[in-house]
Amino acid sequence: MTVLVLGSGGREHALALACSRDPAVGQVHVAPGNPGTAAFATNHPVDPTDGAAVVDLARSIGADLVVVGPEAPLVAGVADDLRAAGIDCFGPSAAAARLEGSKAFAKEVMASAGVPTADSRTCTTLDEVAAALDTFGAPHVIKDDGLAAGKGVVVTADRQAALDHARDCLESGHRVVVEEFLDGPEVSLFAICDGHHALPMPPAQDFKRVGDGDTGPNTGGMGAYTPLPWAPENLVDEVSRTVIAPTLAQMQDRGTPFVGLLYVGLALTSSGPKVVEFNVRFGDPETEPLLSLVDSPLASILRAAARGDLSGVEGLRVRSGFAVGVVLASEGYPACPVTGRALTGLEPGDPDVLHAGTRLVDGRMTSSGGRVLVVLGHGETLAGARQESYERLARIDLPGGFHRHDIALRAAEEQARAGLHDTSSPDPTCVGTDKENS
Ligand code: AMP
Ligand code: GLY
């Protein structure tokens, strides 16, 4: 099989690497890719949001499967263009990608499907926003209805700041979703979907704030780990039943079946798991630790999903133990990252160092984005995985670069206290499909 991955970040590096480990895969191509993917795959300087260019590239390399990393090509309809050209694509149609592209649409689908989520109002005027803020009270949650590159959501106790954000969104022509605040730990649950059935992956957790102790502004994600030793044992089954299956059924009923990765962002509230957001692609940086534990042939599974039939896939085999990913960020991230600095201490082709924002300049590895690397560690305990990741990170130098020191720290301490020195089973764990339920 020849696989083409679209995108250029750490997530795409991890996807391309996981596909390359599938024995059915001969060649892996990435567009545009990065210096990390260049170590084992062929990079192509093609814009992933340009449907015609992507179809041309897929044809010219004889791609059997295209895996779309970021949301922008999906919202732009690149998956539709590929399917129209008869090329298997893992990623939803533009119509189904609205689950991420429009918060108001996602809310409408969840309401019709009876999926547990925060109560919300979709507003088109500042007066409606003010009324909704009063209905729900503080802390206020205000969301830009359109894609806003991670900057669309403001959670604040300050009513004026809430109104200011809403005004900015309305002035840029977008609707505003005001929500009830959901309390409880956040979990990212990914499901590989074929339009009817889902293959859920183990839950992961992402650290969104820039600073230790969850301080400072929101970022694209400063680190992640998986699995979650503290998560309820039935979480995956419960979310499959209450969220994933009804959402897939609802999308099918609307004539826009969801084929691709459904990212369910959850808050584990005192009244059960509730959806904070849907995304329509793998999360970053959760994907990097997650895929590093997957033992199943990923490309074959994604192709089965792309063809609308996961029924032959028994489940996802996942290695025992834990994986932690820590992001090395550029000075000034997220507000104004300084790029173009020399990165040293990297071993070429290291599968545990995923490139998120790097570029080769005159043969020298340099930083080219806010998030530069995702550095992985593995272990039989979270403490062990953390230690490996932070030791690997210490060997890498980026002037002015920084990282959080507390990725997975609390969970590792709780795990150590509970004496859980192993995952629940010493054998590779299997996460089953929800075929029986849907
Ligand atoms: P979103 O882009 O919708 O995931 O929102 C980004 C972040 O804002 C989430 O990861 C949460 O930390 C926070 N957030 C969003 N919606 C809510 C909510 N209803 N209650 C509490 N926090 C929220
Ligand atoms: N890790 C958050 C996201 O991918 O949206």
Side-chain angles (χ1 to χ4, degrees), residues 106-115 117 250:
K107 282 296 188 186
E108 194 188 305
V109 169
M110 284 189 264
S112 312
V115 165
T117 184
Q250 178 63 216

Side-chain angles (χ1 to χ4, degrees), residues 11 188 206 208 220-221 263 277 279 281-286:
R11 162 183 53 205
S188 305
D206 174 19
K208 291 206 166 96
Y263 170 135
E277 63 165 336
N279 293 314
R281 35 85 193 163
F282 283 92
D284 201 349
E286 297 97 316

Side-chain angles (χ1 to χ4, degrees), residues 294-333:
V294 168
D295 252 350
S296 298
L298 186 72
S300 302
I301 292 175
L302 299 185
R303 184 163 69 165
R307 290 180 168 178
D309 190 8
L310 277 171
S311 61
V313 178
E314 277 312 315
L316 200 65
R317 277 194 314 280
V318 181
R319 274 163 48 202
S320 68
F322 296 86
V324 171
V326 180
V327 169
L328 175 62
S330 291
E331 180 177 351
Y333 179 73

Side-chain angles (χ1 to χ4, degrees), residues 128-139:
E128 286 172 10
V129 172
L133 293 178
D134 294 338
T135 303
F136 297 125

Side-chain angles (χ1 to χ4, degrees), residues 61-110:
I61 60 174
D64 300 294
L65 172 70
V66 179
V67 180
V68 185
E71 61 274 22
L74 297 166
V75 172
V78 169
D80 303 87
D81 295 338
L82 286 160
R83 277 187 207 109
I87 299 162
D88 288 330
C89 175
F90 183 76
S93 64
R98 289 183 71 213
L99 278 180
E100 174 165 357
S102 166
K103 304 268 187 203
F105 175 75
K107 282 296 188 186
E108 194 188 305
V109 169
M110 284 189 264

Side-chain angles (χ1 to χ4, degrees), residues 93-333:
S93 64
R98 289 183 71 213
L99 278 180
E100 174 165 357
S102 166
K103 304 268 187 203
F105 175 75
K107 282 296 188 186
E108 194 188 305
V109 169
M110 284 189 264
S112 312
V115 165
T117 184
D119 194 5
S120 72
R121 303 280 181 278
T122 298
C123 307
T124 52
T125 67
L126 213 51
D127 284 345
E128 286 172 10
V129 172
L133 293 178
D134 294 338
T135 303
F136 297 125
H140 303 296
V141 182
I142 310 92
K143 301 186 173 184
D144 190 327
D145 177 47
L147 271 188
K151 297 196 179 78
V153 178
V154 166
V155 180
T156 177
D158 180 343
R159 192 168 188 278
Q160 192 53 48
L163 286 168
D164 290 347
H165 179 59
R167 184 181 304 107
D168 288 349
C169 302
L170 293 169
E171 279 174 1
S172 63
H174 294 168
R175 291 181 293 176
V176 171
V177 176
V178 179
E179 279 190 5
E180 157 201 18
F181 178 79
L182 296 178
D183 210 359
E186 285 186 48
V187 169
S188 305
L189 188 59
F190 300 169
I192 295 168
C193 302
D194 69 1
H196 321 278
H197 308 121
L199 189 62
M201 304 181 79
Q205 194 170 44
D206 174 19
F207 291 72
K208 291 206 166 96
R209 301 290 188 128
V210 75
D212 285 353
D214 292 328
T215 53
N218 260 325
T219 68
M222 293 298 292
Y225 69 97
T226 186
L228 312 178
W230 49 268
E233 216 172 303
N234 64 349
L235 181 68
V236 174
D237 287 345
E238 182 177 357
V239 174
S240 292
R241 187 169 42 77
T242 62
V243 177
I244 299 170
T247 300
L248 292 186
Q250 178 63 216
M251 294 302 282
Q252 225 178 307
D253 289 349
R254 289 170 178 249
T256 54
F258 187 90
V259 175
L261 196 287
L262 184 64
Y263 170 135
V264 185
L266 296 158
L268 305 192
T269 73
S270 49
S271 49
K274 292 191 179 179
V275 176
V276 171
E277 63 165 336
F278 281 140
N279 293 314
V280 298
R281 35 85 193 163
F282 283 92
D284 201 349
E286 297 97 316
T287 297
E288 289 87 327
L290 253 176
L291 292 185
S292 73
L293 292 179
V294 168
D295 252 350
S296 298
L298 186 72
S300 302
I301 292 175
L302 299 185
R303 184 163 69 165
R307 290 180 168 178
D309 190 8
L310 277 171
S311 61
V313 178
E314 277 312 315
L316 200 65
R317 277 194 314 280
V318 181
R319 274 163 48 202
S320 68
F322 296 86
V324 171
V326 180
V327 169
L328 175 62
S330 291
E331 180 177 351
Y333 179 73

